[in-house]
Amino acid sequence: MSNAKHVMLKPSLVGHVRKEWKLYSFLLIPIAYFVIFKYLPMLGNVIAFRKYRGGPNIFGTEWVGLRYFHMFLKDPTFWRAFYNNIFLSVTYLAFRFPITLIFALLLNELRNMRVKKLVQTVSYLPHFISMVIVAGMIKEIVSEKGPINTLLSHLGMETIQFISLPEWFPTIYITSGIWQGLGWGTILYLAAMTSINTELYEAASIDGASRFRKAWHVTIPGILPTIMTLLILDIGGIMGSNFEKVLLLYNPLTYETADVISTYVYRMGIGGKEGIGGNFSFATAVGLFDGVIGLILVSLANFVSKKTTKTSLW
């Protein structure tokens, strides 16, 4: 019976593709993009186990096994970058995730549509600013003659070299990240809120529930699947700190707290250790290790979410 059903479904699917081939043709470009730029480059991970120094042999010249893995695991600079990566990503997630959710709940409570649209537009704008411009703005704001130090001078306090002090880098990184992504991060939450049955709010009003109670007992449970899905994706991206932003903001004076795995890989692969020659195999090994850790994190987050809230990505 199941085989017969399969035989019946297959022609209908093929027939639908033939009938709507113009619509399906739009999938060719995204599929080609992922195949060319996402899947084919995975073949290059083989040089993490082979010696590669450039040249026509793109897959290396000889097998070296786990040699490069042993190298970076014994490198204290790697562990410093690993710790910084975890600290910056987890701290950023711990602040950004609840702030974004609270901001979305507050926007949802606005009844004046003009004010609501204005706030949404203003909060969205930083997302569309180039990271190069954002980094330039940050450097100007925290520079010695920037507005912050100017205010400190007027208050009779000493100026602070924010961009050169390693202890200030996490604060700069996290606060600027929240500012840039706050509005854009609320889009999915607001979209999910529109699907909540309005009768639930009416019933809560009849029961005398305040706005806070409605948000807590109606809105949040209604968008819980969206919250958990985004949280899973964010946890999976913990190992992938914002490479462009860190690269544009950090300097040798702030490596102690600013250097993350992506910038470490960049220096090892392009400039090599201490800037002496590129070590592509070493950098690939570190990147592969980083990717495996990310896969484990997103799998664990998905498993826990599925067991506790019945919401998962797969």
Side-chain angles (χ1 to χ4, degrees):
M1 181 67 180
S2 59
N3 292 334
K5 184 182 291 186
H6 179 71
V7 172
M8 291 176 64
L9 289 175
K10 189 173 181 180
S12 63
L13 178 61
V14 174
H16 188 269
V17 173
R18 289 178 177 176
K19 180 180 179 181
E20 305 292 346
W21 66 270
K22 293 182 180 179
L23 292 176
Y24 281 99
S25 65
F26 285 103
L27 293 173
L28 294 178
I29 294 178
I31 290 175
Y33 168 79
F34 279 100
V35 170
I36 296 173
F37 296 104
K38 300 296 182 180
Y39 288 99
L40 288 180
M42 289 183 182
L43 298 176
N45 285 326
V46 72
I47 67 173
F49 309 95
R50 294 175 63 87
K51 185 177 181 180
Y52 175 79
R53 290 292 182 181
N57 191 346
I58 62 174
F59 295 113
T61 56
E62 59 177 298
W63 286 98
V64 295
L66 301 176
R67 172 186 173 187
Y68 297 111
F69 292 89
H70 292 152
M71 286 175 61
F72 76 73
L73 289 175
K74 294 179 180 179
D75 184 4
T77 307
F78 165 77
W79 289 111
R80 181 188 66 186
F82 184 85
Y83 171 79
N84 291 339
N85 202 125
I86 296 295
F87 178 78
L88 289 175
S89 297
V90 172
T91 307
Y92 175 59
L93 177 60
F95 280 97
R96 180 190 59 80
F97 196 84
I99 290 175
T100 303
L101 178 58
I102 292 172
F103 184 67
L105 292 172
L106 292 176
L107 278 178
N108 188 56
E109 292 298 321
L110 285 176
R111 295 295 176 259
N112 189 320
M113 295 307 298
R114 290 186 178 180
V115 175
K116 184 176 182 178
K117 291 181 179 179
L118 176 62
V119 173
Q120 285 181 294
T121 302
V122 172
S123 62
Y124 291 166
L125 286 178
H127 174 79
F128 299 99
I129 302 176
S130 168
M131 185 57 68
V132 177
I133 298 176
V134 170
M137 293 170 60
I138 294 171
K139 288 182 177 181
E140 286 297 323
I141 292 172
V142 301
S143 65
E144 186 176 2
K145 296 183 179 180
I148 297 179
N149 275 320
T150 300
L151 177 61
L152 293 177
S153 297
H154 288 316
L155 295 175
M157 303 171 64
E158 293 185 2
T159 59
I160 302 174
Q161 299 291 338
F162 293 99
I163 207 67
S164 300
L165 296 175
E167 61 266 25
W168 278 101
F169 184 85
T171 302
I172 295 172
Y173 177 86
I174 293 168
T175 53
S176 60
I178 293 174
W179 164 74
Q180 189 178 13
L182 179 62
W184 187 254
T186 63
I187 290 178
L188 293 177
Y189 290 135
L190 293 175
M193 290 175 190
T194 59
S195 63
I196 299 176
N197 191 342
T198 56
E199 293 181 357
L200 296 175
Y201 290 106
E202 295 174 358
S205 298
I206 295 174
D207 292 337
S210 62
R211 285 194 174 187
F212 175 80
R213 289 295 181 182
K214 290 178 185 177
W216 185 259
H217 294 289
V218 179
T219 306
I220 293 180
I223 63 173
L224 187 59
T226 302
I227 294 174
M228 296 308 302
T229 299
L230 294 178
L231 182 59
I232 293 170
L233 294 175
D234 285 337
I235 292 175
I238 281 178
M239 298 303 295
S241 294
N242 196 324
F243 167 70
E244 296 86 356
K245 185 176 182 179
V246 176
L247 185 66
L248 292 168
L249 289 178
Y250 85 155
N251 57 72
L253 295 175
T254 59
Y255 279 177
E256 181 182 343
T257 59
D259 191 26
V260 294
I261 291 180
S262 56
T263 54
Y264 175 80
V265 170
Y266 172 77
R267 291 203 316 278
M268 297 301 107
I270 303 299
K273 201 166 187 177
E274 303 301 329
I276 304 175
N279 195 335
F280 301 105
S281 295
F282 183 89
T284 302
V286 178
L288 183 59
F289 176 82
D290 183 27
V292 171
I293 296 297
L295 177 62
I296 294 173
L297 287 175
V298 74
S299 299
L300 286 176
N302 187 77
F303 175 78
V304 173
S305 176
K306 188 174 183 179
K307 290 295 183 180
T308 57
T309 65
K310 308 301 180 182
T311 301
S312 62
L313 295 178
W314 63 85

